[in-house]
Amino acid sequence: MQIKKYTDYGLRTLIYLATLPKGRLATINEICAAYEIPRNHLNKVIHQLGKEGFIITRRGKNGGFQLAAEPAEIRLDHVIRRLEGDTPWVNCHSPVCVIEPACELKHILAAGKRVFYDYLASYTLHSLLHKRNELEQIFSTREF
Amino acid sequence: MQIKKYTDYGLRTLIYLATLPKGRLATINEICAAYEIPRNHLNKVIHQLGKEGFIITRRGKNGGFQLAAEPAEIRLDHVIRRLEGDTPWVNCHSPVCVIEPACELKHILAAGKRVFYDYLASYTLHSLLHKRNELEQIFSTREF
DNA sequence: TAAGTACATGCTTTAATAATGCATCTTAAT
DNA sequence: ATTAAGATGCATTATTAAAGCATGTACTTA
C-alpha cells in the first residue's frame, strides 16, 4: 500500500509548475534536474498529465507545459486517482477466490477507498503550496 | 494501491475460522485446500496471525489454530494494518525528495490513510459473515 | 524551408518486491 | 519412538514498477 513513484512524480511536477509565474512553460529536462529524477519515466508522467487535462503541453522549440487551471481548481483526488489507476484495492479474481460471491470484503474495501478519496477531495494543488516560499527557494538554488 | 495477497490470505483464514464451531481447530493444510492457495505462503500468514494475537495456534499432533476472540471483537483495521504493514503511503526518502521539508503531501496522505483505517474500524470479522450460510456451503462442498 | 528542440510513442531492459518453494527445526500427542 | 502439526530461515520465481533507448511528430525560428 503505497502510491507509485509515477504518481509521486506527477504530483511533484504539478507543485513545480504551481510555483512558476503564470504563463511560463517548464520542460521535462527542467523538472528532472530540479528533482533529480529520471527523464524517461517523467516523460510518461508528463504525457499522461497532459492527456488527463491537468497540464497543457506544447511541442516543438520553446515548447513545454503549464498548469491547465488554477492550483485551487486541481483536486488531489482527481490527480491521484488518474495517475495511480483506479482499480479495486483487493483482487478477487486472477486467481479467482472461491468465496467471492459470498464475501463482503470487497464492498468494505471499496467503501474505504471511497472514503479515502473523498477525504483527498477536500484538498487541491493549492493545499500543497502552504510553504510556497520555501519551495521556490529550493528550486531557485537548484537551477542552472 | 492494492492489499497484498498475504493480507488477503490472512483475512480469508479468519473468515474460514469464523465459520467453524467454537473450539474446533483448523490446520494450514485444511485452509490451503479450501481456498486452493499455496501452503508455504499461508504458513507465514498463519504464523503472523498468531504472533499478532488474532488466532491461537497449537503445535504438534492434533494441533492447529482457532480464533483468539469473538468475530465481533476482531476489527478489520487492526488485522489489515498489521498484515499489510503500517508504512506511509508515500515515500519521501530513499531516494530523498528535495522538497521534503517544504512539502505538505505526506501529511495529507497520512491523514487520508487515517481516514481509511478509521472507516475500517467500524467493521469487524463479524461484518464479513453476512452470508455465513453461503460461506459454510462453499467450504462444505470443498472438503475431503 | 531547413535545422533544432521539445513532447509523443512504443519497445526493451532492469530493479524492486511480493509470492512461492524447499529444507529443517520444534513441539506435542499417541 | 513416531507422527503430525506449526515455526523458521533461506532460496527461487513471478509480477510489476521503474528506467532506458530509439525514433516519431509537432512547432519555432533563422
Side-chain angles (χ1 to χ4, degrees):
Chain A
M1 291 288 262
Q2 191 167 88
I3 65 168
K4 294 182 286 187
K5 284 191 185 179
Y6 182 90
T7 303
D8 186 21
Y9 291 170
L11 290 163
R12 291 202 225 173
T13 295
L14 296 178
I15 291 172
Y16 184 91
L17 292 176
T19 67
L20 296 181
K22 198 180 275 193
R24 155 85 187 282
L25 298 188
T27 67
I28 294 179
N29 283 331
E30 186 178 340
I31 292 182
C32 305
Y35 287 114
E36 299 175 16
I37 58 182
R39 202 203 125 88
N40 290 298
H41 205 198
L42 186 60
N43 193 340
K44 286 140 191 154
V45 178
I46 300 292
H47 176 56
Q48 185 178 356
L49 285 174
K51 260 196 338 190
E52 305 284 359
F54 297 117
I55 62 177
I56 295 168
T57 63
R58 220 175 72 195
R59 289 177 160 198
K61 196 167 182 179
N62 300 325
F65 41 87
Q66 58 186 307
L67 292 178
E70 292 296 314
E73 304 303 319
I74 299 179
R75 280 168 45 179
L76 295 191
D77 61 324
H78 290 165
V79 177
I80 296 179
R81 264 201 145 101
R82 294 314 185 103
L83 295 185
E84 194 60 25
D86 205 358
T87 54
W89 284 2
V90 66
N91 180 357
C92 303
H93 317 284
S94 72
V96 68
C97 174
V98 295
I99 60 168
E100 192 275 329
C103 181
E104 299 295 314
L105 182 62
K106 55 185 167 301
H107 304 121
I108 295 175
L109 282 179
K113 181 182 153 194
R114 270 195 299 278
V115 161
F116 171 72
Y117 278 118
D118 282 352
Y119 177 78
L120 290 190
S122 60
Y123 293 96
T124 66
L125 178 55
H126 177 74
S127 316
L128 297 179
L129 300 175
H130 194 245
K131 300 185 182 169
R132 182 176 177 141
N133 289 340
E134 280 190 56
L135 289 169
E136 287 180 5
Q137 197 178 344
I138 291 170
F139 294 135
S140 69
T141 61
R142 302 188 60 77
E143 282 167 68
F144 11 71
Chain B
M1 290 288 261
Q2 191 167 88
I3 65 167
K4 294 182 285 189
K5 284 190 185 178
Y6 183 90
T7 303
D8 187 20
Y9 291 169
L11 290 163
R12 290 201 225 174
T13 296
L14 295 179
I15 291 171
Y16 184 91
L17 293 176
T19 67
L20 296 181
K22 198 181 275 194
R24 155 86 187 282
L25 298 189
T27 66
I28 295 179
N29 283 331
E30 185 178 341
I31 293 183
C32 305
Y35 287 115
E36 299 175 15
I37 58 182
R39 201 204 126 87
N40 290 297
H41 205 198
L42 186 61
N43 193 339
K44 283 140 192 155
V45 178
I46 300 292
H47 176 55
Q48 187 179 354
L49 284 175
K51 259 195 338 188
E52 305 285 359
F54 296 117
I55 63 177
I56 295 169
T57 63
R58 220 176 70 197
R59 289 179 161 197
K61 195 167 182 177
N62 300 327
F65 41 88
Q66 58 185 308
L67 291 178
E70 292 296 316
E73 304 303 319
I74 298 179
R75 280 168 45 181
L76 296 191
D77 61 324
H78 290 165
V79 177
I80 296 179
R81 263 202 145 101
R82 295 313 185 105
L83 295 185
E84 194 61 23
D86 205 357
T87 54
W89 284 3
V90 65
N91 179 358
C92 304
H93 317 285
S94 71
V96 69
C97 175
V98 296
I99 60 168
E100 191 275 328
C103 182
E104 299 295 315
L105 182 63
K106 56 185 167 300
H107 304 120
I108 295 173
L109 282 179
K113 181 181 153 193
R114 271 195 299 277
V115 161
F116 170 73
Y117 278 119
D118 283 352
Y119 177 79
L120 289 189
S122 60
Y123 293 96
T124 66
L125 178 53
H126 177 75
S127 317
L128 297 180
L129 300 176
H130 193 246
K131 300 186 181 168
R132 182 176 177 140
N133 289 341
E134 279 190 55
L135 289 169
E136 287 179 5
Q137 197 178 344
I138 291 170
F139 294 136
S140 68
T141 62
R142 302 189 61 76
E143 280 167 71
F144 13 70

